[in-house]
Amino acid sequence: MTTTADIHEPKFMAGDEFSIPTFRLLTQDGTLHEGAEAPELDRDKARHIYHAMVATRVLDERMMAAQRQGRLSFYMQCTGEEAAVVGATAALDDADMIMAQYREQGALVYRGFTFDEFMNQLFGNELDYGKGRQMPIHYGSRKLHYMTISSPLGTQIPQATGYAYGQKLAGDGLCTTVFFGEGAASEGDFHAALNMAAVHKVPVIFFCRNNGYAISTPSIEQFAADGVAPRAFGYRMHVIRVDGNDVLAVYQATQQARRLAVEQNQPVLIEAMTYRLAAHSSSDDPSGYRSKKEEEAWREKDPILRLQRWLIARDWWSDDEEKALQESLRREVLETMKRAEKRPPPPLDSMITDVYADVTPALQRQLDALKSHIRQYPEAYPKGARSLDPDVTRRDDNADKGES
Ligand SMILES: Cc1ncc(C[n+]2csc(CCOP(=O)(O)OP(=O)(O)O)c2C)c(N)n1
Ligand SMILES: [Mg+2]
């Protein structure tokens, strides 16, 4: 219980007595701000971070193009936010749990999720870990400690508190990092999660990507406060605001947050100030709600270019390496996409497995009815649809649509 001083005249407070500063290390030209010191980061790790950021950008650009060509039903880009996501992931232990929202593919890339694995999920083929049951971008990897994405906003935030509580009880020295947008932070789940984490002192890092928009709604129309960070005070939680386009600052802030979480069981809120450079998703067109001028101003703050300049200045990267990396990533995206497109979908029976230990009679009846319907009207179902034989996947003769 906190004791407070008494006052004898009414005095209202609005929390606007101070504003939360932004932690920054790197300028846009790749030099350090005056008085700033780079975190300890060796050449290999710095290059790994850079590689993951570039790979995420290339994957996103190609897959958005593939969506426009009709090869893919849906896509979401991380573009502009690579430093926030990859920088945070690089500061974690690889065995720490990550619970993401949907725009954090950079974390998977950093941890070694292969382009084949991305493509299998995007095309929902027989090798997709989710067996084609989810829309594209709902990745998950047990091996890489990355919880499968679920679409309803905010659900992963209290789940992260619960998971981290389990980690504390297990005493394995690991923590959970949960990513979410500033829009999702308006969900009740966010508040429940922070309160529970602070009360029970669990090792969880709440990582808010404040990218300026929740689809078409600018953050200025989402909350009256100074961003999301001040909410931590309401829960007596540690908080830091960081320049989300500055990978060195994100890395150092997350590294220290992790120490607080794991060594002192202090949950931490990080608010990374960044910008969603692309559309919300392949179904969105931002020209209806923001100006090109605004986008251009943020393009100037490109997080990838900022890190690239820092690396080049230290002789840790070169123009030739850049060219070779871009070419090999583009080639790899195209090759893996073609491979995944050709693979058949999982058999129809997998629609009703994995939920109950044994398939329930009601589900079995529904599947049998569906199969007899498909047999009756085969012309209504596309070639390459899921096979009716539980053990057989069906080849799609039209799958090879070639390279673009
Ligand atoms: C509970 C719920 N409400 C609404 C939606 C629809 N929706 C999907 S994404 C989104 C915006 C989220 O914005 P933000 O959290 O800032 O993340 P960003 O897309 O900017 O990364 C909305 C409203 C949803 N998926 N779930
Ligand atoms: Mg947002």
Side-chain angles (χ1 to χ4, degrees):
M1 182 78 177
T2 313
T3 48
T4 59
D6 290 344
I7 54 171
H8 304 293
E9 273 177 30
K11 184 183 173 214
F12 295 90
M13 301 172 81
D16 50 6
E17 291 81 8
F18 66 98
S19 68
I20 297 179
T22 306
F23 173 50
R24 294 197 159 93
L25 294 173
L26 262 187
T27 67
Q28 191 57 31
D29 63 17
T31 57
L32 289 167
H33 280 285
E34 216 184 304
E37 253 180 61
E40 252 179 57
L41 192 60
D42 65 34
R43 179 180 180 274
D44 284 353
K45 185 145 188 167
R47 285 165 62 99
H48 183 178
I49 291 172
Y50 182 71
H51 187 286
M53 288 169 66
V54 176
T56 305
R57 178 76 57 97
V58 171
L59 176 72
D60 282 353
E61 280 169 358
R62 296 305 308 167
M63 297 323 289
M64 186 54 100
Q67 196 281 335
R68 292 295 184 244
Q69 293 168 335
R71 292 163 85 169
L72 196 62
S73 61
F74 180 80
Y75 197 72
M76 292 181 102
Q77 297 178 245
C78 176
T79 306
E81 301 177 47
E82 296 93 343
V85 174
V86 177
T89 306
L92 302 174
D93 187 300
D94 281 346
D96 286 343
M97 175 54 78
I98 290 180
M99 299 202 181
Q101 182 156 304
Y102 45 58
R103 207 183 291 290
E104 295 89 355
Q105 49 268 41
L108 276 172
V109 174
Y110 183 85
R111 285 196 172 173
F113 204 62
T114 64
F115 280 175
D116 275 312
E117 290 177 296
F118 276 108
M119 297 299 171
N120 292 336
Q121 198 289 325
L122 291 169
F123 288 95
N125 67 26
E126 61 183 344
L127 296 181
D128 170 24
Y129 302 135
K131 302 186 185 171
R133 294 160 174 151
Q134 293 242 47
M135 285 170 72
I137 69 96
H138 289 69
Y139 315 109
S141 170
R142 187 188 294 267
K143 190 176 113 204
L144 301 177
H145 308 283
Y146 190 95
M147 189 63 78
T148 304
I149 305 299
S150 56
S151 283
L153 286 176
T155 50
Q156 79 280 17
I157 315 176
Q159 288 166 7
T161 299
Y163 198 91
Y165 188 52
Q167 288 171 316
K168 176 182 167 179
L169 294 181
D172 52 12
L174 297 173
C175 69
T176 295
T177 295
V178 54
F179 290 98
F180 49 90
E182 87 296 334
S186 292
E187 287 287 342
D189 276 359
F190 165 86
H191 298 278
L194 264 70
N195 193 46
M196 289 288 280
V199 169
H200 293 289
K201 297 200 178 305
V202 305
V204 56
I205 300 170
F206 297 99
F207 195 102
C208 178
R209 298 179 287 97
N210 186 342
N211 63 7
Y213 287 88
I215 312 186
S216 57
T217 309
S219 54
I220 192 130
E221 289 175 29
Q222 296 180 46
F223 31 76
D226 167 32
V228 173
R231 296 179 203 177
F233 300 141
Y235 302 106
R236 268 283 163 107
M237 186 179 291
H238 286 73
V239 63
I240 188 165
R241 172 174 285 153
V242 58
D243 180 342
N245 287 20
D246 176 345
V247 75
L248 297 186
V250 172
Y251 177 75
Q252 194 173 48
T254 312
Q255 209 174 33
Q256 294 193 10
R258 187 179 188 279
R259 249 175 245 145
L260 281 168
V262 171
E263 292 169 15
Q264 298 178 34
N265 284 316
Q266 293 287 355
V268 183
L269 173 63
I270 299 177
E271 182 180 26
M273 308 308 289
T274 181
Y275 190 80
R276 195 199 73 213
L277 270 180
H280 170 71
S281 73
S282 53
S283 314
D284 174 47
D285 172 13
S287 68
Y289 56 84
R290 67 187 194 189
S291 68
K292 281 265 166 283
K293 203 171 145 214
E294 177 187 305
E295 290 177 5
E296 280 315 312
W298 275 94
R299 220 172 281 283
E300 299 281 306
K301 301 180 195 173
D302 188 333
I304 293 186
L305 216 50
R306 201 181 296 189
L307 176 59
Q308 188 198 88
R309 288 168 178 157
W310 184 74
L311 291 173
I312 289 176
R314 321 191 95 193
D315 243 352
W316 286 0
W317 194 247
S318 68
D319 290 342
D320 287 346
E321 283 178 296
E322 179 69 26
K323 206 164 153 253
L325 177 65
Q326 293 277 351
E327 274 168 19
S328 79
L329 287 170
R330 290 214 172 93
R331 198 174 336 109
E332 202 192 332
V333 171
L334 289 175
E335 281 169 13
T336 52
M337 176 162 39
K338 279 169 76 176
R339 249 199 311 273
E341 272 179 328
K342 277 190 207 150
R343 279 198 178 279
L348 201 61
D349 280 59
S350 68
M351 271 175 42
I352 59 164
T353 54
D354 298 339
V355 176
Y356 301 102
D358 299 309
V359 171
T360 63
L363 279 176
Q364 190 60 54
R365 274 197 303 279
Q366 285 182 40
L367 181 69
D368 293 344
L370 176 61
K371 282 185 180 175
S372 67
H373 177 81
I374 294 172
R375 285 200 182 95
Q376 203 177 341
Y377 303 103
E379 67 288 350
Y381 290 88
K383 264 190 174 175
R386 292 173 180 232
S387 169
L388 303 190
D389 183 333
D391 300 320
V392 174
T393 49
R394 186 188 281 175
R395 296 277 151 194
D396 179 354
D397 301 335
N398 294 324
D400 189 5
K401 292 182 183 132
E403 204 173 297
S404 59

